[in-house]
Amino acid sequence: MDDLELRRVFASLCTLAEQGPLPVQAYSMLVRRMCPEALAEELHRGWLADSRFAPTAAGIILHVCTAEPRDVALSSSCLALILNDFRLRNEIRAESRLMWRNAFRALFHLYPIYRQLDACFSKCFIQPMFTAIEELFDVEPEQEDYETAAMLFSTFGRTLNDLRPVGVERLICRVRETIVADSPEMNCHIRRVFLHILDLHTFRWEEVKIPEHYITGRLDTMLIDEPPTELSPFVRPKRLRESSVSSTASKLRDSTSSPCSQIASPLSQSMNIPRIEEEEEIPLEKKETEC
């Protein structure tokens, strides 16, 4: 199989990966017949040329290294290539911004694979990943740069937060500045993704905790406080308790202070409160004669 046919196979694998998880049988026999160094070069060419190929390349590397744990030729070659791309990122950016963005995508997609294979070697990815997102917000970014930064930050935000929370705070500040900036490269879709990133950061990168109306933008999905149809006799609203207490007190005053009430109220009888008889009014002239 020549290089052109191999690239066509990799392109078809990217198309299959868009429909769901890529089965191992789709590339297992192919990668086993290839030299590890040659396979690494083809994977490198693939993730630089096609933005969809980075997850497929990560799956191939994981499959080969899992099948042959002692054979580290492929993983070492790919690690050297991805780190060399980061070192030469300025030259790659000057030549092709598409390849520059694709190199950053590969950096993020390969990190979980190398963390699973070797935790020590995976530390080489930490600083490049934070630098990659910061450079996507640099001076005069294109619309595709914002889209790439939004996609990477929203997908791998929890991973970055576990690695360096302080670095994530700096990136969140860059996101806020970008949202309020009057940039012609910003559109409604990118702003929505950036707002979603702020929500993820607020709710500790747990999307299930974000209120639905934050995501949909519809106020009719909010939980509106409505009076319950049936109140529990043990748990009542505060206003209801206050009103019931005030009504009870007013009834008690009426029952004890009314001159026509000859019979004590049941509450006063249960509390053994004596009924106070109202004093008979004496005319003023009679009072003077008595004195």
Side-chain angles (χ1 to χ4, degrees):
M1 180 180 294
D2 57 6
D3 294 343
L4 182 59
E5 292 178 350
L6 184 60
R7 293 170 190 172
R8 290 177 179 174
V9 171
F10 283 162
S12 62
L13 290 179
C14 294
T15 305
L16 289 175
E18 292 179 349
Q19 307 301 324
L22 192 63
V24 178
Q25 294 79 7
Y27 54 81
S28 178
M29 296 301 298
L30 175 64
V31 298
R32 287 184 179 181
R33 295 178 181 180
M34 294 187 63
C35 175
E37 290 76 10
L39 179 59
E41 290 291 342
E42 291 300 327
L43 294 178
H44 178 230
R45 186 181 293 109
W47 73 56
L48 287 180
D50 194 343
S51 59
R52 307 169 301 169
F53 189 68
T56 303
I60 292 175
I61 296 173
L62 179 61
H63 169 70
V64 173
C65 296
T66 303
E68 298 292 339
R70 296 183 179 181
D71 189 3
V72 296
L74 179 62
S75 59
S76 301
S77 300
C78 292
L79 179 62
L81 291 171
I82 193 65
L83 294 180
N84 188 62
D85 288 344
F86 177 76
R87 184 174 60 86
L88 301 176
R89 61 189 182 280
N90 294 330
E91 289 81 355
I92 297 176
R93 181 179 182 179
E95 182 179 354
S96 173
R97 296 182 72 99
L98 175 62
M99 296 174 62
W100 174 68
R101 291 189 294 267
N102 290 341
F104 288 162
R105 289 189 180 97
L107 189 70
F108 277 84
H109 284 283
L110 291 182
Y111 169 73
I113 302 302
Y114 279 89
R115 186 176 181 178
Q116 183 177 349
L117 297 176
D118 195 319
C120 182
F121 282 132
S122 65
K123 295 180 180 179
C124 302
F125 288 79
I126 298 177
Q127 183 59 42
M129 287 191 298
F130 282 92
T131 304
I133 295 186
E134 288 183 358
E135 291 188 357
L136 288 171
F137 289 100
D138 268 354
V139 182
E140 298 181 358
E142 297 179 353
Q143 181 175 342
E144 291 78 7
D145 299 342
Y146 283 141
E147 292 178 352
T148 304
M151 184 272 295
L152 294 177
F153 201 6
S154 60
T155 305
F156 300 95
R158 178 191 288 271
T159 302
L160 296 176
N161 189 75
D162 294 338
L163 294 173
R164 290 182 182 177
V166 178
V168 172
E169 294 293 337
R170 291 184 55 186
L171 296 178
I172 289 296
C173 293
R174 298 297 298 270
V175 171
R176 293 181 182 275
E177 293 174 359
T178 307
I179 291 177
V180 301
D182 189 12
S183 176
E185 286 75 17
M186 291 288 293
N187 54 31
C188 182
H189 172 69
I190 300 177
R191 292 183 191 275
R192 283 182 176 273
V193 179
F194 281 158
L195 288 175
H196 185 61
I197 292 173
L198 297 181
D199 294 337
L200 288 172
H201 177 257
T202 302
F203 292 93
R204 300 182 181 276
W205 305 99
E206 296 184 11
E207 191 168 2
V208 294
K209 293 184 178 180
I210 302 178
E212 184 179 356
H213 60 276
Y214 280 23
I215 302 176
T216 60
R218 297 172 53 188
L219 296 180
D220 55 352
T221 59
M222 295 177 61
L223 297 177
I224 303 176
D225 296 334
E226 297 180 354
T229 56
E230 183 178 356
L231 295 178
S232 171
F234 303 100
V235 181
R236 296 185 178 181
K238 183 178 180 181
R239 293 181 179 178
L240 184 59
R241 292 198 303 267
E242 292 178 351
S243 61
S244 61
V245 171
S246 59
S247 61
T248 305
S250 61
K251 290 181 180 180
L252 181 61
R253 287 195 302 269
D254 294 341
S255 62
T256 55
S257 61
S258 176
C260 300
S261 59
Q262 301 296 331
I263 303 175
S265 62
L267 180 62
S268 60
Q269 291 178 358
S270 61
M271 298 177 63
N272 296 326
I273 299 177
R275 186 168 59 89
I276 302 175
E277 298 291 344
E278 187 173 344
E279 185 178 359
E280 183 182 358
E281 294 184 359
I282 302 176
L284 181 60
E285 296 178 356
K286 188 176 181 178
K287 288 184 179 180
E288 292 179 354
T289 55
E290 289 180 356
C291 295

